């Protein structure tokens, strides 16, 4: 199935949208324009190399005279030496670089503090004197860093004459509004830039962009690199070019696994006859395997390859699948530890999702903060439908900073309504007690469509599901994970040139906007309570039972296993019209089916749930 690019292509090629939405602890946002292009994924020639430090070429920034600053930006803004870390409004909350020799200080470019969205920053910190690499044909530069990315680029550059530079992008695969580990060890193969074994070599770290967070660098060394070293740098389990990659997919929507793999020649010599071996496993047991040739079977030093392969295998059982890909060539690899990469996804009963529920970070996405703009704002995700199904609810999780009392959900037919102007359904949802997530407690909320009767989605269709704010000045935050590379994420708002309001793509977070096709999800009415909702279902952590009492009474909620044994229970005295939330911890329960029974003064109602 092809992506729906007919309308969005004009937006994404001409002007995309990006916003500096910070994840905890910084919770601010700013909007800028950003050019985004569609195309095959590329990988940064940032490499792992082995060997000893060459001729003692190591710098911990204790000798500041060993480095010089330069810039070509407007306005000018220089790197600096520091022992305290960044201090910009957004960057200061990230903290200082925790490098090995942090006590000696390090070099930093605090883009956030040194410019604004209209600035053009281009600055570097450079070795003051050249070094001699005569006799060394395989060379790498290693350093420790802490980098926060928004709208800029970070480069290691190498010169043999002090004026002409070879550029290596360091953090090319990092998404906007994310940061590296602290510290993050980077090793870049520069063999191609110094292939003639020059006696004069300079290196420098250069930041370029309009407005970023920061880049902190320390413990720089020039080391002897590996001669033969292939590395897998990325594995995909879905065709992100012609379709989409999902982290969860219902069994009735499962399709053939299309593997994508990117690899880089991180050694100093040519690698011949690249081959990829793959294995697809379910719960640790292999269900499919094979091999396929690389697109670029001959790979020069620092060059990369991206290859796509249709495996012919379609998942047929529930569970977690792991796709493992290993690269090899004719040459014997000196670092086999980086020859392999993996990608995982889940086949579920009813949940369709782009976000990765195993990402414990769950970045809080602040783009639904309408206090920054009087305009309507929406976040949305694409979903392909391969078999007719009824969408009963949209599942999400509200962030801790949410202050609004309501939001709304829309579902669009992305094939027949490419302007997304005529939603198939619109639901306004009033947040209830217990809906908002806090810390590690992620509360999954199902927003019912048509009172749980849902809407029919047809095979061959592509649908866009969005969540938006209901009014200006309302703070609506939803959780998210790192974005897929498939451009499934859209935003609606004033993000174009001149604050043009429209739909835009090119984002690097996947908001938790999930399609739920569970027919049992709904609101149950009986003599004692109204608005009974048992969620999330399935669950692997907390199970919530929400309801409104119709009378002053004693309510008992029981949880039974499949044998009828009572495993948990709670009693509560409630008042008429009172909204109640009872939460059970299911972490210690075995996986399987359970029955949740609510016993009131006049009646009993039972709901079936799955614990994973």
């Amino acid at each position: 199935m092809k992506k729906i690019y007919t309308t969005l292509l004009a937006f994404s090629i001409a002007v995309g949208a990006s916003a500096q939405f910070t994840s905890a602890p910084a919770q601010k946002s700013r909007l800028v324009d950003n050019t985004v292009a569609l195309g095959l994924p590329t990988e940064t020639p940032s490499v792992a190399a082995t060997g000893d430090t060459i001729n003692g070429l190591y710098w911990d920034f204790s000798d500041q005279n060993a480095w010089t600053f330069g810039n070509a930006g407007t306005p000018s803004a220089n790197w600096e030496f520091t022992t305290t870390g960044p201090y910009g409004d957004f960057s200061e909350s990230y903290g200082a670089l925790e490098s090995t020799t942090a006590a000696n200080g390090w070099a930093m470019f605090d883009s956030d503090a040194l410019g604004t969205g209209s600035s053009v920053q281009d600055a570097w910190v450079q070795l003051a004197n050249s070094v001699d690499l005569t006799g060394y044909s395989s060379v790498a530069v290693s350093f420790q860093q802490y980098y926060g990315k928004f709208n800029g680029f970070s480069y290691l550059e190498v010169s043999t004459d002090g004026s002409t530079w070879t550029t290596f992008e360091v953090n090319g695969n990092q998404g906007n509004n994310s940061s590296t580990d602290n510290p993050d060890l980077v090793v870049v193969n520069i063999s191609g830039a110094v292939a003639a074994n020059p006696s004069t070599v300079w290196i420098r770290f250069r930041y370029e962009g309009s407005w970023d967070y920061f880049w902190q660098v320390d413990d720089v060394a020039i080391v002897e690199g590996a001669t033969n070293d292939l590395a897998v740098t990325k594995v995909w389990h879905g065709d992100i070019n012609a379709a989409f990659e999902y982290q969860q997919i219902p069994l009735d929507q499962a399709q053939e696994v299309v593997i994508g793999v990117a690899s880089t020649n991180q050694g100093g010599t040519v690698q011949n006859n690249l081959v990829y071996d793959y294995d697809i496993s379910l719960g640790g047991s292999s269900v499919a395997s094979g091999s396929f040739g690389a697109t670029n079977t001959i790979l020069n030093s620092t060059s990369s390859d991206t290859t796509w392969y249709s495996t012919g295998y379609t998942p047929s059982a529930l569970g977690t699948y792991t796709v493992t890909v290993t690269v090899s060539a004719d040459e014997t690899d000196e670092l086999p530890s980086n020859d392999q990469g993996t990608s995982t996804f889940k086949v579920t009963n009813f949940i369709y999702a782009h976000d990765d529920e195993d990402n414990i970070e769950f970045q809080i996405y602040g783009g639904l903060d309408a206090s920054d703009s009087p305009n309507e704002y929406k976040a949305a995700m694409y979903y392909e439908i391969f078999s007719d199904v009824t969408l009963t609810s949209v599942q999400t999780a509200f962030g801790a900073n949410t202050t609004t009392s309501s939001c709304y959900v829309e579902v669009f037919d992305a094939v027949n309504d490419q302007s997304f102007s005529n939603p198939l359904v619109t639901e306004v949802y009033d947040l209830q007690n217990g809906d908002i997530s806090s810390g590690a407690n992620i509360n999954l909320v199902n927003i019912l469509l048509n009172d749980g009767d849902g809407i029919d989605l047809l095979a061959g269709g592509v649908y866009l599901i969005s969540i938006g704010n209901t009014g200006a000045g309302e703070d609506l935050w939803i959780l998210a994970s790192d974005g897929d590379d498939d451009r499934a994420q859209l935003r609606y708002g004033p993000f174009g040139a001149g604050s043009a309001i429209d739909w835009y793509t090119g984002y690097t977070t996947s908001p938790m906007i999930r399609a739920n096709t569970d027919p049992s999800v709904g609101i149950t009415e009986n003599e004692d309570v109204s608005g009974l909702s048992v969620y999330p279902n399935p669950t692997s952590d907390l199970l919530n039972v929400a309801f409104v009492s119709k009378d002053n009474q004693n309510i008992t909620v029981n949880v039974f296993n499949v044998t009828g044994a009572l495993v948990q229970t709670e009693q509560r005295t409630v008042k008429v019209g009172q909204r109640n939330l009872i939460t059970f911890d299911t972490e210690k329960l075995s996986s399987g089916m359970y029955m949740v029974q609510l016993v009131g003064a006049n009646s009993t109602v039972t709901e079936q749930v799955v614990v994973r």
Side-chain angles (χ1 to χ4, degrees):
M1 181 174 294
K2 297 297 182 182
K3 289 187 178 179
I4 308 302
Y5 281 153
T6 306
T7 300
L8 291 179
L9 188 62
F11 300 148
S12 58
I13 293 294
V15 55
S18 181
Q20 189 169 7
F21 305 125
T22 64
S23 41
Q27 296 170 351
K28 306 174 183 177
S29 65
R30 57 169 77 131
L31 305 174
V32 301
D33 294 338
N34 182 32
T35 299
V36 182
L38 299 172
L40 288 173
T42 58
E43 293 300 318
T44 300
S46 176
V47 307
T50 58
D52 298 328
T53 301
I54 296 174
N55 297 333
L57 299 179
Y58 169 78
W59 300 270
D60 63 4
F61 290 97
S62 59
D63 180 8
Q64 298 180 4
N65 292 324
W67 300 86
T68 61
F69 297 139
N71 73 75
T74 307
S76 62
N78 281 322
W79 284 68
E80 56 193 294
F81 297 114
T82 183
T83 57
T84 58
Y87 50 90
D89 289 343
F90 289 81
S91 60
E92 64 179 351
S93 56
Y94 285 86
L97 173 62
E98 298 174 3
S99 57
T100 302
T101 64
N104 293 328
W106 60 91
M108 176 183 71
F109 187 79
D110 190 356
S111 174
D112 182 48
L114 299 176
T116 65
S118 60
S119 67
V120 179
Q121 299 172 346
D122 185 354
W124 57 85
V125 55
Q126 174 184 327
L127 278 179
N129 300 304
S130 66
V131 297
D132 187 355
L133 294 181
T134 302
Y136 294 94
S137 59
S138 184
V139 180
V141 175
S142 73
F143 58 94
Q144 295 181 38
Q145 69 162 355
Y146 186 25
Y147 175 57
K149 180 176 176 62
F150 168 51
N151 202 33
F153 303 91
S154 50
Y155 303 107
L156 171 73
E157 296 188 318
V158 181
S159 176
T160 58
D161 60 11
S163 60
T164 303
W165 298 87
T166 301
T167 299
F168 301 87
E169 186 173 3
V170 176
N171 297 292
N173 295 325
Q174 187 170 325
N176 290 0
N177 297 296
S178 65
S179 59
T180 65
D181 292 337
N182 184 16
D184 176 40
L185 176 63
V186 179
V187 188
V188 180
N189 186 343
I190 64 169
S191 300
V194 295
N197 308 322
S199 59
T200 56
V201 175
W202 288 264
I203 63 171
R204 70 183 187 183
F205 299 90
R206 182 170 68 88
Y207 168 80
E208 179 184 82
S210 60
W211 198 19
D212 221 28
Y213 288 105
F214 60 88
W215 193 16
Q216 303 177 72
V217 174
D218 198 6
D219 297 315
V220 181
I222 298 180
V223 301
E224 201 164 355
T227 300
N228 298 305
D229 179 28
L230 282 171
V232 170
T233 54
K234 183 74 175 181
V235 173
W236 297 269
H237 59 262
D239 186 351
I240 66 172
N241 297 306
F244 300 103
E245 182 183 52
Y246 302 97
Q247 303 309 314
Q248 296 187 60
I249 185 168
L251 183 59
D252 62 1
Q253 304 298 325
Q255 294 293 296
E256 176 188 16
V257 176
V258 177
I259 294 176
V261 56
S263 64
T264 300
N265 180 359
Q266 301 183 155
T269 61
V270 175
Q271 301 296 292
N272 296 283
N273 297 321
L274 264 68
V275 173
Y276 297 107
D277 296 308
Y278 74 91
D279 179 78
I280 304 173
S281 63
L282 170 61
S285 298
S286 178
V287 293
S289 60
S291 63
F292 54 94
T295 301
N296 301 308
T297 58
I298 299 176
L299 211 58
N300 293 323
S301 176
T302 73
S303 296
S304 298
D305 171 74
T306 301
T307 298
W308 297 91
Y309 180 73
S310 299
T311 64
Y313 173 76
T314 299
S316 58
L318 302 177
T320 300
Y321 291 77
T322 301
V323 177
T324 303
V325 182
T326 305
V327 65
S328 62
D330 289 347
E331 291 71 24
T332 300
D333 199 286
E334 298 174 28
L335 291 172
S337 61
N338 60 15
D339 294 351
Q340 193 173 89
T342 62
S343 184
T344 62
F345 64 96
K346 291 184 177 181
V347 175
T348 68
N349 277 312
F350 307 112
I351 299 299
Y352 216 166
H354 285 279
D355 68 280
D356 183 359
E357 69 173 5
D358 292 325
N359 181 352
I360 61 173
E361 308 240 343
F362 275 106
Q363 300 170 348
I364 292 179
Y365 173 65
L368 299 184
D369 183 351
S371 62
D372 289 336
S373 169
N375 299 295
E376 178 183 38
Y377 191 97
K378 308 174 192 177
M381 304 297 297
Y382 275 120
Y383 287 96
E384 302 163 283
I385 300 301
F386 302 100
S387 178
D388 290 354
V389 71
T390 299
L391 177 66
T392 54
S393 70
V394 174
Q395 189 178 87
T396 190
F398 297 103
N401 291 309
T402 296
T403 59
T404 184
S405 60
S406 62
C407 67
Y408 72 100
V409 169
E410 292 179 318
V411 180
F412 299 91
D413 181 342
V415 175
N416 298 308
D417 178 21
Q418 295 182 18
S419 64
F420 309 132
S421 56
N422 298 297
L424 300 175
V425 63
T426 300
E427 293 286 352
V428 176
Y429 177 76
D430 295 325
L431 274 69
Q432 305 177 29
N433 292 336
D435 279 353
I436 297 177
S437 299
S438 177
N441 296 320
I442 307 302
N443 295 328
L444 298 178
V445 178
N446 286 300
I447 301 175
L448 300 178
L449 304 179
N450 292 329
D451 294 326
D453 293 333
I455 61 171
D456 293 332
L457 306 183
L458 303 179
V462 180
Y463 297 87
L464 190 74
I465 302 176
S466 72
I467 297 180
N469 60 307
T470 55
E474 297 182 338
D475 292 331
L476 174 60
W477 296 65
I478 57 177
L479 303 188
S481 64
D482 290 339
D484 295 334
D485 300 318
D486 58 7
R487 302 294 177 99
Q489 318 90 337
L490 298 184
R491 310 288 189 269
Y492 179 86
F495 307 131
S499 297
I501 301 174
D502 220 319
W503 289 95
Y504 298 94
T505 186
Y507 290 86
T508 54
T509 55
S510 288
M512 189 186 291
I513 302 175
R514 301 172 173 177
N516 188 355
T517 60
D518 185 352
S520 69
V521 172
I523 295 179
T524 303
E525 302 281 343
N526 75 354
E527 295 181 39
D528 293 303
V529 301
S530 64
L532 174 62
S533 180
V534 180
Y535 65 93
N537 186 13
T539 183
S540 58
D541 186 7
L542 299 179
L543 178 67
N544 300 299
V545 181
F547 60 91
V548 176
S549 178
K550 291 183 176 180
D551 202 351
N552 298 328
Q553 60 183 314
N554 294 320
I555 292 287
T556 300
V557 179
N558 299 314
V559 180
F560 298 95
N561 63 19
V562 290
T563 68
L566 180 65
V567 294
Q568 293 191 42
T569 186
E570 183 168 334
Q571 294 182 336
R572 181 169 297 181
T573 299
V574 298
K575 297 180 179 180
V576 60
Q578 181 182 46
R579 190 180 299 276
N580 298 273
L581 178 69
I582 297 176
T583 300
F584 295 99
D585 187 350
T586 68
E587 286 188 330
K588 295 182 180 180
L589 297 181
S590 301
S591 298
M593 193 75 67
Y594 290 82
M595 306 304 294
V596 176
Q597 179 191 69
L598 186 147
V599 181
N602 303 297
S603 62
T604 299
V605 62
T606 302
E607 295 282 342
Q608 179 178 285
V609 298
V610 175
V611 174
R612 291 179 175 170

